[in-house]
Amino acid sequence: MSAVEDMTKEQLQSALEELQRRVDNAEAIVEKKQVENTEFKEWLKQSEERWAEYELR
């Protein structure tokens, strides 16, 4: 028998809840990193524009 087959319904439910909690946490981290990435890209774009203006002087 596999380990999963040996688990009770309560143990399986608990394991599934833990996995869902981990998935939710990972999704929240990904969303935060996407926002940070977008903000960084905007900052980089503005910095490049300022540098280009500086070089034109």
Side-chain angles (χ1 to χ4, degrees):
M1 265 196 211
S2 71
V4 172
E5 291 173 339
D6 290 340
M7 296 175 78
T8 65
K9 287 183 181 182
E10 292 80 18
Q11 290 171 321
L12 285 172
Q13 183 63 33
S14 179
L16 287 173
E17 288 170 357
E18 173 64 15
L19 289 172
Q20 186 61 54
R21 185 188 65 76
R22 289 182 183 194
V23 167
D24 292 344
N25 187 45
E27 287 175 342
I29 291 169
V30 166
E31 185 175 335
K32 179 182 177 190
K33 293 299 179 185
Q34 287 174 331
V35 169
E36 290 174 355
N37 191 36
T38 300
E39 291 170 350
F40 179 73
K41 284 180 179 180
E42 182 59 33
W43 174 84
L44 181 59
K45 179 182 172 188
Q46 291 174 1
S47 295
E48 289 172 338
E49 289 171 355
R50 285 192 300 265
W51 183 255
E53 289 173 8
Y54 173 78
E55 286 184 326
L56 289 175
R57 293 181 196 177

